[in-house]
Amino acid sequence: METNQRLAIFQSLIGQPMGQSLSGIGRWLSGTLLEVAEGRTVAGYVVRPDMVNPMQILHGGAASAILDDLCGLTVFALGREFGYTSVNLTVDFLNPARLGDALTAEANVVRAGRNIVHVEGRITSDTGKLIAKCSTNLVQTTVKV
């Protein structure tokens, strides 16, 4: 059985801030990995002043970035030979998250086809309220990783 080195690396980083992420936006978001498994990733985030709109509520772009980045990380952790990139990202914003709120985001692979991987993501508050959810498709590129 072949070992998925990328998955093993992410699992070794559980509990640590993602400040060393390969993704620039991931470094800026500065989440903390909480769970990493084949096709599933969970991370924690805190809503900072540079993530809110003028009403001190999590900006939709920041929520979308959390979901897009975590979904991409989840696909990257599948350990496939080629890189993947987002084809689309549909986000529903359902409840506000306020400055200082602790959030949990999760990404789950729904279907991993040969060329297209479909992923769903969710952001919830520490009280369990659903803040945002997404669905996205990522397509295989010609870039070897």
Side-chain angles (χ1 to χ4, degrees):
M1 182 174 187
E2 194 172 314
T3 302
N4 179 342
Q5 293 295 330
R6 276 185 243 146
L7 182 62
I9 289 168
F10 285 119
Q11 288 173 331
S12 75
L13 297 174
I14 290 174
Q16 298 181 34
M18 293 189 283
Q20 301 300 318
S21 174
L22 296 173
S23 162
I25 194 82
R27 290 190 300 273
W28 175 75
L29 290 167
S30 192
T32 300
L33 287 173
L34 302 174
E35 178 186 334
V36 181
E38 182 81 19
R40 177 174 168 76
T41 307
V42 180
Y45 300 85
V46 174
V47 180
R48 303 184 315 264
D50 56 347
M51 298 168 79
V52 298
N53 63 25
M55 295 175 291
Q56 304 303 294
I57 292 172
L58 180 66
H59 191 285
S64 297
I66 288 169
L67 291 165
D68 188 48
D69 194 62
L70 198 62
C71 288
L73 185 153
T74 303
V75 172
F76 184 74
L78 292 175
R80 294 185 169 194
E81 179 181 8
F82 293 94
Y84 281 71
T85 191
S86 299
V87 174
N88 54 25
L89 177 70
T90 302
V91 181
D92 296 314
F93 306 102
L94 302 170
N95 285 291
R98 302 190 190 296
L99 180 63
D101 284 356
L103 306 175
T104 301
E106 64 180 81
N108 295 287
V109 172
V110 174
R111 181 179 183 278
R114 187 175 52 224
N115 294 312
I116 300 281
V117 178
H118 182 76
V119 184
E120 292 179 349
R122 300 167 60 89
I123 299 173
T124 54
S125 70
D126 58 356
T127 62
K129 190 174 282 194
L130 183 59
I131 303 302
K133 66 182 186 71
C134 79
S135 65
T136 182
N137 291 293
L138 293 92
V139 65
Q140 179 178 286
T141 68
T142 58
V143 178
K144 285 194 174 197
V145 289

